[in-house]
Amino acid sequence: MGVVTAETFVGLIPELVTLGFLVLVLLLGVFNPQSPNQTAALAALGTVAVFASTVVLLASGFSGSFFGDGFVVDNFALYFKLVVSASAFFAVLAAARWAAGTGDAPEYLALILAVVLGSLLLVSMRDLFGIFLALELATIPSYALVAFDRSRRESSEGAMKYLVTGVIASAILLYGMVLIYGVAGSAALADVAEVFTGQLSPVAVLGLVLLVSGFAFKLSAVPFHFWTPDAYQGAPTSAAAFLSVAPKAATFAVLLRILLEGMPEAAATWTSVMVFLAIATMFVGNLFALRQRNVRRMLAYSSVAHSGYILAAFAALQGSAVPTAVEAVLIYSAAYAVMNLGAFLVIDLVGEDSTSYNGLIRNRPGIAVCMGIFMAALVGLPPLSGFWGKAWVIFAGAEAGTVALYVVIGAVVVNSVLSVPYYFGIVRNMFFEEPKEMTEEPKGTGAVTASVYVLAAATVLFGLFVGPLSALARASGLL
Amino acid sequence: MITTIAIFLPLLGALLMMLLPASFGERNVRYVALGVAAVPLLLGLYIYLAYGANLGAGALSQDVTWIETFNIGYRVGLDGLGFGMFLLSALLTLVAVVAAWDVQRNLRQYFAILFLAEVGMLGVFAAQDLVLFYIFFELTLVPMYLLVGFWGDENRGPAAIKFFLYTFLGSTVMLAGFLAFGILAGTFSISGLDAGAGLGGTAQVALAAPILLGLLIKVPAVPLHSWLLDVYVSSPTSTNVMLSGILPKLGTYGIIKIAIPLLPQGVQPFLPYIAALGVLNIVYGAFVAFAQPDLKALVAYSSIGTLGFILLGAASVNAVGLNGAVLQQVTHGLYSALLFILVGVIAARTGTRQIAELGGLMARMPWAGGLLALGALAAMGLPGLAVFVSEFMSIMGGFEAYPIQGALAALGIVLSAMYLLYMLAGVVFGPVERPEFERVEDAGPVEMTAIVPLAVLLVVLGIFPGLLIGIQRPAVELVLAAIGGS
């Protein structure tokens, strides 16, 4: 165990700030239960503080590894901490009014902060068991988040499915980690890397397969994606929005770290697994999304499909293409966060049935245009954020240049086209259909509406920042 | 800088349209839109007059690094290959604003979306970077989808999504080719990629295949055209102007500007087939047009047919053919826009588009009828009109490179004369078909404002084709130098 110094605390500032605000939010709930808005404001302030402290760490060029190299602060980790905390900010804004309605706002917001804490720790972990603990810290509160809407049966049902599959996934993941530990004699990624060379032993291969399968569950990759639509449909909108973005990005990040730092020599083995995983995930996600009439369910399958696109970048993690593939994961995660959070927030404002979008352009033109932007971005139309994510995946694939990767690129192209009917089904409803007779009272708060506009602007202008983002990604510690 | 300003001015125009208060009268909205649309055209004309002599090989360029890692830049500039279409895009947008008389509802939004599409069109013809080219290329997609899907006829919904799916499939396939090309060559700058940027023959063929396929879907080359008829027939007149006048040229221009000079060894094996597809367009378009009972569908197929000359001329890769192809892009836009507007005028006055129900319009509508005759004569390549020059050059070039294809294309001109004369006889001349046609009015001043400039240009460019060929010739020579043709 390394010595704990002042620097350790500096490196842990984002996590400590999160923990502090988590406690404050709960305390405020105890001592002042009649003020859910203050609690939400406090939680939002917490996410801003985490974001700001991470920016300071990034800007000051801070890096280091602590606790016997088990916890590392590098640009790679800090980048994902930015994505997580920014997503959490919008999730808290979206949650505020709904959570107040349940009467349990402090608990709900504290659960979100707990997921944030787990995700922040996750991206910095460099030790298999540390990774497992952080992953569970991010996952267990999310079961509760999904189950939080006690007024709807789907919420409990979704949470139950999520819990059962999630626990099985954790068991599989842990089993894989234990096998790898058994082979390497250590859980530190650096030590694991030493045994994952040359001809892999059967136990090591089994450990790798179980590990990847466990992560596939968490990332809702096919064939381990079945919990996703039920969980996202049942969850409160803010929870679904947040869970589809922040913990998922962190999980992708840590998987990237495990593969690149823990088993770089075995890349040939795991990239070939990723090829199949990516192609299957893209196709299944898009084909099932085509049939959905419920927008939340549609976005759940869409998130499966987007996991597939990101896994396509994992398939390109070989040879000289590694830096570009890592960049693709980083850029895709940020791009997906802005457009998907935006789309989920619009559900909060409009509704989850696809016909509730009919004629939205007449009733609420601003929101309709924003939703149109999110849908176009999810398709991958330029110059919106989703386009840059997909472009980077194709860059990585072309740099890797193998036949398998060209097949993956072909699958990305076909799937982009395949996704048009369901995303643009919403656009058609909004722009071309007559509004429903019953004009519902606008839901949501001004804060949610403002967030939608901000996220739409970020989706449109993403391309302007993709250059610096790429430079930042290049400088991340993982390359 | 002036190029960038010209490209993005319509974006400001679109914002302006949205900001106009709802109380602003319909008439005033039209005048404001007219003003907005006139600015890029005036800038374009200024560029033509001030820089025309230097435009040929490329001028007024701007190069800003965007994504350093992959050498992607915001690179724009005008050259002889694109300038004609650049100018035509600005012109046809103005014409479309005038011709938007059949758009009644949500006029401000209609114009705003039209201007958004114009940004994409102007941008494509000025882009000097593959990624930027693709972005502008795709920027036209959603606006056109919305224009058709919201303002089209009863069948607009399915027509719009069909258009979206087919052309998006094409452009995404093209994108994959572009991105792989740029990564392999180490830059996305079009000038940096000249003549394949040192890539070997096999790699070039592998890259050219998806790029050409994507572009041919966009054109569309027969048999990849099945999306086209529904969307043409369902669109309002002014959207037709853009759909037929500009959008197909995004595909043909991509072939001439990108596929041929940047992947010379890659396109070589495909060229005879592209020429054959061009001939197929010409012949198939003519035959199918002949069978159309609907005047608008006839014009649509005529428009597909004459796109074939661009493909034939481009595939010939000799000076005559390529110059013909580049010119045909502009002349095709002029005549097809003219015909679509006149179809709109006639349908609005008579209440029908069925050729069998029409007849004898010349008596009551001498202007509209006469100009329809002019447009049809232009379409069939009558000497003295602009289309003749470009079609003749395309056939000459095509015949030199591929005698069989060239000869068949010449036959296509005869076929097109047949259906166009038949159409004229049925619609314009002959006895007055119905008593109510005795009372129809001729095209009014607004309609004439949209039609006359196109007709005048068809005549002027027919007599002085050098006005455009002079600019495009140096650029065509650069293309030829890249592919090693004559």
Side-chain angles (χ1 to χ4, degrees):
Chain A
M1 275 281 125
V3 185
V4 175
T5 64
E7 215 180 39
T8 316
F9 287 102
V10 176
L12 276 168
I13 283 178
E15 287 80 3
L16 293 173
V17 170
T18 313
L19 188 61
F21 274 94
L22 199 166
V23 174
L24 282 177
V25 165
L26 282 176
L27 285 179
L28 188 66
V30 171
F31 291 112
N32 198 358
Q34 300 311 318
S35 59
N37 284 337
Q38 282 175 29
T39 329
L42 187 67
L45 183 66
T47 57
V48 171
V50 176
F51 187 84
S53 58
T54 312
V55 168
V56 170
L57 285 180
L58 198 60
S60 63
F62 183 89
S63 68
S65 72
F66 313 106
F67 305 116
D69 201 29
F71 183 92
V72 60
V73 177
D74 52 13
N75 284 356
F76 178 78
L78 290 174
Y79 177 93
F80 278 100
K81 288 177 191 190
L82 289 181
V83 174
V84 167
S85 52
S87 310
F89 173 73
F90 289 108
V92 168
L93 286 189
R97 177 148 146 188
W98 181 84
T102 64
D104 296 320
E107 288 78 4
Y108 187 77
L109 296 166
L111 283 169
I112 289 183
L113 289 179
V115 178
V116 172
L117 180 59
S119 304
L120 294 179
L121 287 168
L122 187 59
V123 296
S124 277
M125 287 296 172
R126 225 181 208 171
D127 173 291
L128 288 178
F129 297 122
I131 289 168
F132 182 78
L133 288 178
L135 195 57
E136 289 305 291
L137 181 53
T139 311
I140 292 172
S142 49
Y143 301 138
L145 280 176
V146 172
F148 214 88
D149 192 350
R150 277 162 298 187
S151 63
R152 287 161 62 231
R153 262 194 65 232
E154 296 97 324
S155 186
S156 316
E157 183 190 331
M160 197 62 208
K161 285 188 184 168
Y162 186 26
L163 175 70
V164 172
T165 54
V167 169
I168 294 172
S170 298
I172 291 174
L173 181 63
L174 191 59
Y175 193 36
M177 286 176 168
V178 168
L179 288 181
I180 294 171
Y181 174 74
V183 175
S186 160
L189 292 181
D191 300 328
V192 172
E194 285 176 20
V195 293
F196 271 84
T197 54
Q199 184 70 33
L200 298 182
S201 70
V203 180
V205 172
L206 185 61
L208 172 59
V209 167
L210 291 175
L211 179 103
V212 171
S213 305
F215 273 105
F217 259 112
K218 305 276 179 195
L219 296 170
S220 50
V222 173
F224 308 110
H225 64 286
F226 294 103
W227 58 271
T228 318
D230 291 317
Y232 286 8
Q233 190 184 2
T237 313
S238 53
F242 180 60
L243 295 180
S244 68
V245 169
K248 202 161 148 181
T251 312
F252 271 116
V254 76
L255 179 60
L256 201 55
R257 196 187 283 283
I258 294 177
L259 294 174
L260 282 182
E261 290 187 349
M263 33 196 83
E265 302 286 322
T269 312
W270 49 257
T271 49
S272 53
V273 175
M274 291 297 173
V275 169
F276 291 104
L277 218 52
I279 293 177
T281 306
M282 282 185 255
F283 273 105
V284 170
N286 280 321
L287 288 174
F288 278 86
L290 285 173
R291 305 166 44 98
Q292 305 307 323
R293 293 288 166 271
N294 180 301
V295 181
R296 238 194 263 227
R297 236 178 141 71
M298 184 203 92
L299 283 180
Y301 278 111
S302 141
S303 93
V304 173
H306 283 273
S307 282
Y309 299 127
I310 300 181
L311 286 170
F314 277 75
L317 283 168
Q318 41 186 287
S320 59
V322 171
T324 308
V326 172
E327 236 177 278
V329 177
L330 269 74
I331 288 176
Y332 209 117
S333 301
Y336 183 65
V338 283
M339 61 191 178
N340 203 49
L341 273 175
F344 266 110
L345 292 196
V346 173
I347 295 184
D348 230 9
L349 294 175
V350 181
E352 59 180 310
D353 190 85
S354 66
T355 56
S356 53
Y357 291 79
N358 285 5
L360 195 64
I361 189 70
R362 293 193 203 156
N363 295 338
R364 307 176 73 184
I367 297 297
V369 169
C370 288
M371 187 62 166
I373 290 171
F374 298 134
M375 292 295 113
L378 285 164
V379 167
L381 289 176
L384 309 174
S385 68
F387 163 70
W388 297 103
K390 279 186 186 157
W392 246 270
V393 170
I394 297 178
F395 286 148
E399 258 184 51
T402 63
V403 175
L405 260 302
Y406 279 111
V407 173
V408 172
I409 292 179
V412 171
V413 168
V414 171
N415 275 285
S416 298
V417 179
L418 216 52
S419 70
V420 170
Y422 66 87
Y423 291 127
F424 270 73
I426 302 289
V427 174
R428 183 197 60 218
N429 287 356
M430 290 191 304
F431 287 79
F432 304 159
E433 298 289 332
E434 294 298 320
K436 279 209 245 177
E437 283 178 32
M438 187 181 61
T439 44
E440 284 177 54
E441 197 168 298
K443 304 171 199 159
T445 56
V448 180
T449 311
S451 305
V452 167
Y453 283 110
V454 169
L455 288 165
T459 305
V460 172
L461 300 177
F462 195 85
L464 292 181
F465 305 104
V466 82
L469 214 58
S470 152
L472 186 69
R474 279 278 128 152
S476 71
L478 209 65
L479 305 174
Chain B
M1 198 60 201
I2 190 168
T3 317
T4 301
I5 292 172
I7 295 172
F8 287 101
L9 266 176
L11 188 62
L12 289 181
L15 288 177
L16 177 67
M17 299 310 298
M18 296 311 296
L19 291 177
L20 288 181
S23 57
F24 222 62
E26 182 194 315
R27 214 184 164 76
N28 294 335
V29 170
R30 288 184 196 273
Y31 280 125
V32 173
L34 215 54
V36 169
V39 180
L41 181 64
L42 291 176
L43 254 178
L45 287 174
Y46 166 74
I47 292 171
Y48 179 81
L49 296 173
Y51 302 92
N54 316 326
L55 269 181
L60 301 173
S61 51
Q62 195 178 3
D63 187 339
V64 182
T65 306
W66 189 352
I67 298 158
E68 215 174 346
T69 331
F70 302 114
N71 202 350
I72 297 169
Y74 172 79
R75 303 182 173 102
V76 292
L78 293 168
D79 63 26
L81 293 181
F83 185 70
M85 285 310 299
F86 187 84
L87 211 52
L88 186 70
S89 303
L91 173 69
L92 288 191
T93 307
L94 185 66
V95 170
V97 169
V98 181
W101 55 73
D102 57 349
V103 176
Q104 304 293 344
R105 57 190 186 133
N106 300 72
L107 198 59
R108 292 178 303 142
Q109 287 82 347
Y110 183 87
F111 288 135
I113 296 173
L114 186 70
F115 293 144
L116 204 59
E118 190 190 7
V119 174
M121 294 172 190
L122 293 173
V124 162
F125 298 115
Q128 302 294 338
D129 182 283
L130 287 186
V131 172
L132 193 65
F133 179 92
Y134 171 75
I135 289 174
F136 282 129
F137 193 93
E138 211 70 303
L139 209 56
T140 59
L141 184 61
V142 172
M144 295 318 281
Y145 165 81
L146 292 175
L147 289 181
V148 177
F150 193 87
W151 286 275
D153 69 5
E154 325 61 67
N155 186 35
R156 60 184 185 268
I161 194 69
K162 201 166 162 187
F163 159 76
F164 191 120
L165 280 172
Y166 270 89
T167 54
F168 183 60
L169 174 67
S171 54
T172 317
V173 169
M174 176 188 85
L175 171 72
F178 278 3
L179 296 187
F181 187 18
I183 288 290
L184 293 179
T187 178
F188 283 88
S189 151
I190 287 181
S191 61
L193 290 167
D194 203 30
L199 292 182
T202 322
Q204 288 199 19
V205 173
L207 291 169
I211 292 175
L212 284 174
L213 177 66
L215 291 167
L216 287 171
I217 293 176
K218 186 79 177 185
V219 172
V222 177
L224 306 172
H225 66 287
S226 68
W227 57 269
L228 184 135
L229 187 68
D230 285 350
V231 71
Y232 273 33
V233 171
S234 296
S235 301
T237 302
S238 55
T239 307
N240 272 132
V241 169
M242 309 310 285
L243 272 174
S244 67
I246 307 295
L247 279 194
K249 307 343 179 322
L250 266 54
T252 58
Y253 176 72
I255 293 176
I256 297 169
K257 168 85 183 174
I258 291 172
I260 292 176
L262 303 192
L263 292 163
Q265 288 167 274
V267 294
Q268 206 85 54
F270 298 110
L271 287 176
Y273 300 102
I274 295 177
L277 283 177
V279 173
L280 192 60
N281 262 39
I282 297 166
V283 175
Y284 174 89
F287 272 115
V288 180
F290 204 79
Q292 296 306 316
D294 181 330
L295 189 55
K296 199 166 181 180
L298 181 139
V299 173
Y301 276 110
S302 157
S303 161
I304 301 185
T306 41
L307 286 170
F309 291 103
I310 307 178
L311 293 178
L312 177 67
S316 71
V317 291
N318 51 43
V320 183
L322 262 179
N323 268 309
V326 176
L327 186 63
Q328 172 83 0
Q329 298 191 102
V330 177
T331 57
H332 174 278
L334 291 173
Y335 104 77
S336 61
L338 176 70
L339 286 184
F340 272 114
I341 295 174
L342 283 163
V343 170
V345 171
I346 290 170
R349 297 296 149 104
T350 62
T352 178
R353 292 198 313 245
Q354 299 301 312
I355 296 172
E357 295 173 8
L358 292 163
L361 293 182
M362 201 61 180
R364 290 296 306 160
M365 304 175 74
W367 278 106
L371 288 165
L372 187 71
L374 178 87
L377 292 174
M380 69 182 82
L382 188 79
L385 295 171
V387 187
F388 165 74
V389 183
S390 50
E391 285 187 2
F392 188 70
M393 288 171 76
S394 298
I395 293 177
M396 288 287 286
F399 189 75
E400 197 184 317
Y402 315 103
I404 298 175
Q405 282 92 323
L408 285 172
L411 185 70
I413 290 203
V414 181
L415 290 174
S416 67
M418 277 169 61
Y419 74 82
L420 285 163
L421 290 174
Y422 160 82
M423 181 273 284
L424 284 180
V427 174
V428 180
F429 303 108
V432 176
E433 201 66 39
R434 287 185 182 179
E436 63 259 36
F437 291 169
E438 294 287 2
R439 291 186 300 276
V440 293
E441 301 270 324
D442 201 353
V446 178
E447 282 115 322
M448 291 303 281
T449 317
I451 301 165
V452 168
L454 300 172
V456 168
L457 276 172
L458 277 173
V459 175
V460 169
L461 281 176
I463 303 167
F464 306 107
L467 288 175
L468 278 179
I469 293 182
I471 290 184
Q472 71 193 39
R473 192 181 286 130
V476 165
E477 271 161 20
L478 288 177
V479 174
L480 291 172
I483 195 165
S486 49

